[in-house]
């Protein structure tokens, strides 16, 4: 019997390799499906679905496995994780009592050796010839090769005719762990399914899900067998017991999970924080295996942290810091800082799984001005004398400046400008019609509203800006459109029209708007500070103001920081941009949730700077992962540029003033409309970080 098991195991391996070979020969369009001695193994854990009635769950195992890391996988508490211990308990009491072991299959008494058919592949024929003097074994082998199972076993046992085969086994928390293997590539995928009160019913649900729509007619796309040493379920036409000679897929997955000792790590954090303002900081780690491509792993990390590039972008993400570290199957990451309140939103200790990123996140609120130390500590969990102990593999100190909000919003005073800038200065205009009133009109003028926001009385006369009164004192906006750049930065054409239509739309839904054109760096910061002071004044009075910042012009990402480019920037080198650009930190901190409970920041930017000096350096924006309480919107996907044609502002202005829907629905409609108008060449994105319920630009009753 032991000899028979070894022989069958060898046959199973041969059939798998043959399937790889046949797939390669018959599928010229899939060059990746090649035979390998050590095929790549990828493990994907899907979140366990809620408890539900059998027959209502879709495992979603039919889709292709995620390649190169398209996101992170979260791991519920009741999922058995390969490599983490806690293997399925073979001794637990299932709801079914274990029946007596089935009787051995009848033997073929001295049956004559079957003739070897001519259509049997050569490698199988050689194996059959080795057992020419054992007709009984040869008959079993021939049945298996033809995909008919062994000794009466149903076709759910794997055969070379299937593209994928699956095994199910129980876990200690009464879930089914389903492990599937692609027979052509060897790639493994995993998912879980709740058992509920009936194990057999749960297995039937899974088997039907995998078998496909024609299962009632006996056509099975992906067979399922149940692996258990204590429970036997026989005579079920949808699944079988796994043959004892077959490889256990979950063990293969566990072996693959341990097949790495290094990994890539990425993290992000703002360079500046505001005292008492919460931020979300993240660290992500993904294993590096011998077949891993580092660039693909970095793309996976970037996507998992929500700051990734578009899938077909040729740009490299610069808003994250990457490194290579020692990594094990279980890692711990902590954030520590004396001057911060730190709340972990993910477990400190988590497993690493090949092919996917694991993310750690904290809500960090600074409570000490200056530069209080904040450090990420990364540890590997190792076994020492039977104990699991952490071993530090990397510490990441963060250089963050913490400032008081009042200091950040302080008025810097008038800015000296040349004659050209003075000519561009716009006069005050309060004649913009208000089509929709959310609250009764305020009697305060623009100037008095601004003066009410600060005891120091900010100077409202910023060259290049005009004030447009709105109906709601708790809605303030700044619209900035930059067009008049000087070489080597290219001049734009449509941005002023963008600003005009956005000012009209915001005014129509009650916003007071500080409309600005062609501002330099200091003017931009002054205008932003004024917007923050107005909102903070309302907050201090007990109101719940809303701020809205819209920018149309050049925007870039340089070495981890997003910038908008003022019109007085002297050049397009990284040093010019760092010194004279206006960073996202400067913008977000001035319209943060500490300033206003609800804030919108919209970048209709990412125009390419066309000159030799900047080529290769001008990169489009990526969403800011650390922002808290801010709704971010971008005219195009991360890593792509937007056309200077007004399409985004037209759709945003139109939908914002007409749709009586929540803000996130409005921006989804804008996303779809822009993508349709541009033939999918430009697809806007948005990230809703606001809290406290839905916000409506236009009420349904209006």
């Amino acid at each position: 019997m032991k000899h028979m098991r070894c022989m069958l195991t060898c046959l199973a391996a041969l059939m798998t390799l043959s399937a790889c070979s046949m797939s390669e020969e018959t599928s010229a369009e899939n060059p990746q499906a090649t035979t390998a001695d050590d095929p790549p193994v990828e493990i994907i854990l899907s979140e366990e679905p809620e408890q539900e009635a059998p027959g209502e769950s879709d495992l979603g195992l039919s889709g292709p496995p995620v390649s190169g890391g398209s996101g992170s996988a979260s791991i519920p508490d009741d999922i058995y994780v390969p490599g983490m211990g806690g293997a399925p308990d073979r001794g637990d009491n299932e709801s079914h009592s274990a029946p007596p072991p089935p009787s051995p299959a009848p033997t073929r008494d001295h049956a004559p050796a079957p003739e070897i058919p001519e259509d049997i592949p050569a490698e199988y024929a050689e194996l059959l010839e080795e057992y020419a003097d054992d007709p009984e074994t040869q008959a079993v082998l021939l049945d298996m090769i033809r995909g008919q199972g062994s000794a009466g076993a149903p076709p759910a046992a794997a055969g070379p005719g299937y593209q994928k085969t699956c095994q199910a086994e129980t876990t200690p928390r009464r879930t089914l762990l389903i492990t599937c293997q692609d027979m052509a590539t060897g790639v493994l995928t995993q998912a879980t399914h709740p058992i509920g009160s009936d194990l057999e019913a749960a297995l039937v649900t899974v088997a039907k899900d995998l078998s496909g729509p024609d299962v009632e007619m006996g056509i099975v796309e992906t067979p399922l067998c149940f692996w258990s040493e204590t429970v036997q379920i026989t005579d079920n036409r949808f699944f079988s017991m796994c043959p004892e000679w077959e490889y256990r897929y979950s063990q293969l997955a566990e072996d693959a999970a341990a097949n790495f000792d290094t990994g890539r790590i990425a993290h992000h954090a703002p360079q500046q924080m505001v005292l008492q303002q919460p931020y979300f900081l993240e660290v992500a780690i993904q294993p590096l295996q011998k077949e891993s491509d580092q660039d693909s792993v970095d793309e996976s990390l970037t996507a998992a942290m929500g700051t990734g590039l578009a899938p077909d972008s040729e740009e490299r993400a610069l808003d994250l810091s990457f490194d290579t570290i020692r990594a094990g199957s279980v890692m711990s990451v902590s954030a520590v800082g004396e001057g911060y309140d730190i709340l972990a939103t993910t477990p400190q200790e988590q497993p690493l799984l090949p092919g996917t990123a694991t993310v750690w996140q904290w809500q960090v609120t600074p409570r000490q001005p200056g530069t209080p130390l904040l450090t990420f500590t990364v540890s590997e969990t190792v076994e020492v004398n039977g104990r699991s102990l952490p071993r530090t593999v990397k510490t990441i100190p963060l250089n963050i400046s913490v400032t008081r909000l009042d200091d950040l919003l302080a008025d810097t005073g008038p800015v000296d400008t040349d004659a050209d800038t003075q000519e561009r200065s716009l006069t005050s205009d309060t004649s913009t019609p208000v089509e929709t009133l959310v609250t009764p009109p305020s009697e305060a003028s623009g100037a008095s509203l601004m003066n009410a926001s600060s005891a120091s009385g900010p100077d409202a006369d910023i060259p290049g800006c005009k004030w447009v009164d709105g109906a709601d004192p708790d809605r303030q906006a700044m619209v900035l459109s930059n067009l008049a750049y000087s070489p080597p930065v290219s001049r734009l054409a449509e941005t002023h029209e963008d600003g005009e239509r956005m000012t009209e739309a915001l005014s129509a839904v009650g916003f007071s708007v500080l409309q600005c054109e062609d501002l330099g760096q200091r003017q931009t910061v002054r205008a932003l500070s004024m917007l923050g002071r107005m909102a903070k004044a309302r907050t201090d009075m007990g109101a719940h103001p809303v701020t809205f910042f819209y920018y149309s012009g050049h925007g870039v990402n340089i070495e981890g920081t997003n910038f908008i480019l003022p019109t007085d920037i002297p050049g397009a080198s990284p040093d010019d941009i760092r010194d004279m650009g206006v960073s996202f930190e400067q913008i977000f901190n001035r319209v943060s949730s500490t300033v206003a409970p609800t804030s919108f920041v919209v970048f209709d930017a990412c125009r390419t700077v066309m000159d030799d000096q900047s080529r290769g350096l001008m990169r489009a924006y990526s969403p800011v992962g650390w922002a808290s309480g801010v709704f971010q919107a971008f005219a195009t996907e991360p890593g792509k540029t937007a056309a200077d044609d007004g399409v985004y502002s037209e759709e945003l202005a139109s939908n914002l003033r007409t749709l009586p829907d929540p803000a996130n629905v409005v921006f989804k409609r804008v996303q779809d409309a822009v993508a349709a108008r541009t033939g999918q060449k430009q697809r806007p994105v948005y990230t809703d970080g606001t809290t406290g319920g839905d916000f409506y630009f236009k009420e349904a009753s209006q």
Side-chain angles (χ1 to χ4, degrees):
M1 183 64 182
K2 181 177 180 181
H3 173 67
M4 181 66 172
R5 290 183 186 176
C6 295
M7 180 270 295
L8 291 174
T9 299
C10 294
L11 176 61
L14 178 60
M15 285 166 34
T16 299
L17 293 176
S18 177
C20 298
S21 175
M22 288 186 289
S23 174
E24 180 179 7
E25 293 172 1
T26 58
S27 179
E29 295 180 358
N30 184 16
Q32 283 77 26
T34 57
T35 303
D37 293 333
D38 187 13
V41 177
E42 182 168 356
I43 306 168
I44 301 172
L45 284 180
S46 63
E47 291 218 19
E48 178 181 343
E50 296 179 359
Q51 295 288 339
E52 52 192 356
E56 297 180 356
S57 175
D58 182 4
L59 289 175
L61 289 174
S62 58
V66 179
S67 175
S70 63
S72 60
S74 56
I75 302 173
D77 291 337
D78 53 355
I79 288 181
Y80 161 59
V81 182
M84 288 290 291
D89 183 2
R90 298 301 186 188
D92 58 352
N93 293 322
E94 300 287 0
S95 58
H96 287 66
S97 60
S103 301
T107 60
R108 307 173 190 264
D109 244 351
H110 305 291
E115 294 185 6
I116 301 175
E118 295 181 357
D119 61 343
I120 293 296
E123 61 267 29
Y124 293 154
E126 292 177 4
L127 181 64
L128 290 171
E129 289 176 358
E130 291 182 10
Y131 292 89
D133 58 347
D134 188 349
E136 179 182 320
T137 299
Q138 195 179 61
V140 173
L141 290 174
L142 187 59
D143 284 346
M144 291 174 57
I145 293 170
R146 291 196 175 281
Q148 298 175 356
S150 63
Y162 296 111
Q163 293 183 348
K164 182 190 295 184
T165 61
C166 299
Q167 297 177 355
E169 56 190 275
T170 59
T171 71
R173 292 199 173 186
R174 293 199 57 76
T175 61
L176 288 174
L177 174 66
I178 302 97
T179 309
C180 297
Q181 183 178 43
D182 188 303
M183 302 305 292
T185 64
V187 171
L188 295 169
T189 56
Q190 290 187 313
T192 59
H193 183 77
I195 293 177
S197 59
D198 192 330
L199 173 62
E200 186 169 356
L203 286 165
V204 169
T205 298
V206 174
K208 288 183 176 180
D209 217 16
L210 293 167
S211 295
D214 299 325
V215 61
E216 298 295 343
M217 297 185 293
I219 301 175
V220 176
E221 294 179 3
T222 302
L224 175 74
C225 68
F226 176 50
W227 192 291
S228 176
E229 297 172 358
T230 59
V231 177
Q232 293 291 318
I233 302 176
T234 58
D235 300 326
N236 192 296
R237 67 189 183 94
F238 295 105
F239 67 92
S240 67
M241 298 300 297
C242 296
E244 61 180 9
W245 49 263
E246 192 170 57
Y247 288 109
R248 181 176 166 186
Y249 291 171
S250 62
Q251 183 61 51
L252 294 179
E254 185 173 345
D255 293 342
N259 185 28
F260 60 85
D261 58 9
T262 59
R264 292 286 285 173
I265 184 171
H267 72 276
H268 64 69
Q271 297 177 0
Q272 181 187 68
M273 289 184 174
V274 176
L275 197 65
Q276 303 303 326
Q277 163 70 23
Y279 298 81
F280 287 104
L281 307 189
E282 291 179 320
V283 170
I285 304 176
Q286 182 165 323
L288 278 174
Q289 296 175 276
K290 61 182 180 181
E291 70 274 7
S292 298
D293 176 73
Q294 181 171 303
D295 290 339
S296 297
V297 171
D298 286 355
E299 290 177 7
S300 172
L301 291 169
T302 304
M305 298 178 73
T307 57
L309 300 171
D312 57 347
S313 173
E314 296 180 357
E315 304 286 355
R316 177 173 174 80
L318 291 179
D319 51 346
L320 298 176
S321 297
F322 295 90
D323 200 357
T324 300
I325 62 169
R326 177 175 177 81
S329 59
V330 182
M331 301 291 290
S332 297
V333 185
S334 61
V336 180
E338 289 290 337
Y340 303 87
D341 291 328
I342 301 174
L343 175 64
T345 59
T346 55
Q348 179 173 324
E349 185 178 74
Q350 298 189 64
L352 294 191
L353 300 174
T356 188
T358 302
V359 179
W360 286 259
Q361 185 188 72
W362 305 265
Q363 179 178 292
V364 178
T365 305
R367 52 182 174 80
Q368 175 183 325
T371 55
L373 181 63
L374 180 64
T375 303
F376 293 139
T377 301
V378 184
S379 303
E380 175 188 15
T381 299
V382 296
E383 293 288 334
V384 179
N385 296 327
R387 298 175 58 194
S388 295
L389 300 173
R391 180 177 63 179
T392 300
V393 297
K394 187 174 183 62
T395 57
I396 306 173
L398 302 176
N399 184 22
I400 299 174
S401 173
V402 178
T403 184
R404 292 183 174 87
L405 182 61
D406 289 341
D407 296 335
L408 190 68
L409 300 180
D411 188 3
T412 59
V415 180
D416 294 333
T417 58
D418 56 27
D420 291 338
T421 305
Q422 292 288 359
E423 289 176 4
R424 292 196 302 266
S425 179
L426 307 175
T427 58
S428 178
D429 180 6
T430 60
S431 61
T432 302
V434 177
E435 299 177 1
T436 304
L437 301 181
V438 181
T439 59
S442 170
E443 298 180 357
S445 67
S448 63
L449 178 60
M450 285 188 286
N451 287 333
S453 68
S454 172
S456 62
D459 182 1
D461 186 17
I462 298 178
C465 298
K466 69 177 180 181
W467 179 256
V468 180
D469 261 335
D472 191 338
D474 287 329
R475 294 189 173 195
Q476 293 105 32
M478 175 181 170
V479 172
L480 172 59
S481 57
N482 286 343
L483 179 154
Y485 292 96
S486 300
V489 181
S490 59
R491 186 181 179 92
L492 298 172
E494 302 292 331
T495 56
H496 286 177
E497 284 77 4
D498 294 333
E500 288 289 347
R501 63 176 62 98
M502 285 303 303
T503 297
E504 293 177 4
L506 289 167
S507 297
V509 292
F511 280 85
S512 295
V513 183
L514 184 65
Q515 183 186 358
C516 304
E517 294 180 356
D518 299 330
L519 296 190
Q521 181 199 43
R522 290 191 62 197
Q523 293 167 302
T524 302
V525 174
R526 267 194 84 213
L528 282 165
S529 298
M530 182 182 297
L531 178 67
R533 286 197 301 275
M534 290 187 293
K536 186 174 183 298
R538 299 296 302 175
T539 300
D540 292 343
M541 294 170 61
H544 299 279
V546 177
T547 60
F548 194 109
F549 173 77
Y550 170 87
Y551 172 72
S552 179
H554 279 308
V556 299
N557 181 308
I558 296 296
E559 296 183 356
T561 302
N562 294 312
F563 293 90
I564 66 173
L565 301 191
T567 55
D568 62 354
I569 192 165
S573 70
D575 288 339
D576 290 331
I577 295 169
R578 278 190 293 262
D579 293 341
M580 295 297 294
V582 178
S583 70
F584 273 25
E585 279 88 349
Q586 292 174 289
I587 297 170
F588 277 74
N589 288 334
R590 285 170 171 80
V591 294
S592 64
S593 58
T594 302
V595 173
T598 302
S599 300
F600 294 85
V601 178
V602 181
F603 296 103
D604 186 1
C606 305
R607 274 69 170 182
T608 302
V609 183
M610 300 301 296
D611 69 274
D612 291 337
Q613 181 185 26
S614 65
R615 190 163 291 124
L617 297 174
M618 302 300 97
R619 305 177 188 277
Y621 292 150
S622 294
V624 176
W626 44 258
S628 173
V630 178
F631 191 110
Q632 305 174 56
F634 300 83
T636 188
E637 294 172 281
K640 288 191 173 182
T641 56
D644 185 23
D645 57 9
V647 171
Y648 182 74
S649 66
E650 289 174 4
E651 294 297 336
L652 178 57
S654 173
N655 285 278
L656 184 146
R657 69 193 299 176
T658 60
L659 291 182
D661 296 312
N664 60 333
V665 176
V666 172
F667 279 90
K668 179 66 172 82
R669 298 289 181 268
V670 173
Q671 181 186 65
D672 295 342
V674 172
R677 284 182 59 180
T678 61
Q680 305 299 318
K681 293 181 180 178
Q682 180 178 337
R683 181 176 175 79
V685 295
Y686 61 89
T687 301
D688 186 358
T690 60
T691 58
D694 293 330
F695 176 80
Y696 292 79
F697 292 105
K698 176 182 172 65
E699 298 293 343
S701 59
Q702 298 169 345

